[in-house]
Each structure stands twice: as C-alpha cells, then as structure tokens.
Amino acid sequence: MPGLSRRPRGDSHPARDAAALVLRTTLGPMLVAHGWNKVAGPGGLQGTTGWFEALGLRPAAAHARLAAGTEIAAGAGLTLGLAAPLPAAGTVGLMAVAAATDHRGKGFFVFKGGWEYVGVVGGAAVALAALGHGRYSLDTALRRRDRSGGGAALTAAGLGLAGATALLAACYRPDQKTEDEETSSMEAPTSP
C-alpha cells in the first residue's frame, strides 16, 4: 500500500518490538473475549441481537454476528501479529460504531456510559498500526514486509472510520420501530 513504511525485516528495534508485543497481547485477547461474549455469553447471540435492535442497528441479527466475528478476527490478528494494519482498522471501525451508538450522548467517562473506553481502544489500535506488529509476530515469521509508520496508522484510522461511517449510514436507524414493536403497539389496549 502506498505510504506505508516498508522496513526490511532485519531492521529490528527491541524496545519497539516489545511495545508492539505488549499492545498486541493486551488488545487482541480483550477483543476476542468481547466477540466470544457476544456469541456465548449469558444472553448469547439472541441477547446481543436484542441489544443491537435496541441500539437501532438493522438488521440486528446480522450486526450481532458481524460485530462478534469482527471482534474475534481483529483480536486474533492483533494477538498473532498478522496482516498489519488490517486488524487495527477493524478495531477502529468497531470502536467508532460503538461510540456512535451505545456510547453516544453519554459524555466522556465510561462509568457513565461514555466513550472513554472505545476512544482508548481505538487510539491504541492506531498506535499499534504505527508501531507495526514487530519482530515477534506471524507477519515476521511469514516474512511479510513490515507495514508500520504514519501511513499504516492513517490507513488503519481511515479504513476503520470509513467502514464505520458506511455501516452507520446504511444500517443505523435508532428512531425506526421494528415490525414487532409496531404490531404490539397496534394490539395494545387503549385507555378510555
């Protein structure tokens, strides 16, 4: 990709490699756990679907699966250090959608439902894209070119935000009642 730093694999920086490993093994498993929870947590996919329906993501069942799959895939890619900067872009997209839907209008602090957490995770993913996956990664083991630097960070941020914007434009309908809600409101008894 144009604009991405392509350092030869022999150009290793131990501190940068260690920082990338710490970030990858912090963010990656956390994303996998969140994705797995959407599938197999207490409410399972049905609970996640209901939550997404309430958020206004249509069709909710498709978005529940898409979010879970993206979290698991991006988390695995970050953990293993594979396909930089695409897992970071997926993470940015996930966090941008979460900020615009679940955390919207709730301020900054996460304990009040704000966007603090998703902002930190998205920012860390962009920082990781700038660092690259480092020496201790599958990208290195597979002898893939190092994709890091400012271009990789911009690619991760740009792809993630573009994907989130497109998804929200096409599928975010917070004020639209579902067919079930309309049917139940028509059947509800009226007061005299």
Side-chain angles (χ1 to χ4, degrees):
M1 296 178 111
L4 297 180
S5 170
R6 293 192 170 111
R7 286 188 293 273
R9 278 288 162 199
D11 184 24
S12 180
H13 299 284
R16 189 187 81 215
D17 294 337
L21 181 63
V22 168
L23 269 173
R24 287 186 11 245
T25 58
T26 301
L27 287 176
M30 181 269 305
L31 286 169
V32 171
H34 276 262
W36 185 250
N37 188 60
K38 284 178 176 61
V39 174
L45 270 174
Q46 184 177 359
T48 303
T49 298
W51 174 37
F52 280 26
E53 185 75 43
L55 290 175
L57 290 166
R58 310 280 192 261
H63 287 284
R65 287 164 174 76
L66 179 65
T70 303
E71 282 178 324
I72 292 168
L78 290 176
T79 302
L80 298 172
L82 184 63
L86 297 179
T91 303
V92 169
L94 287 162
M95 297 304 113
V97 171
T101 58
D102 194 29
H103 301 277
R104 184 181 195 148
K106 297 177 183 174
F108 173 72
F109 293 106
V110 70
F111 60 84
K112 293 183 178 182
W115 59 269
E116 174 184 18
Y117 165 78
V118 295
V120 169
V121 172
V126 172
L128 182 55
L131 275 174
H133 283 165
R135 181 177 181 181
Y136 311 110
S137 67
L138 276 182
D139 279 347
T140 298
L142 297 171
R143 299 186 182 276
R144 295 190 61 211
R145 289 195 160 239
D146 182 26
R147 300 197 190 296
S148 61
L154 288 173
T155 298
L159 286 176
L161 291 173
T165 300
L167 182 143
L168 291 167
C171 304
Y172 184 49
R173 305 290 179 263
D175 299 327
Q176 180 182 3
K177 287 188 174 185
T178 66
E179 197 173 296
D180 291 341
E181 290 172 329
E182 288 176 12
T183 301
S184 66
S185 67
M186 290 188 312
E187 295 173 357
T190 57
S191 301

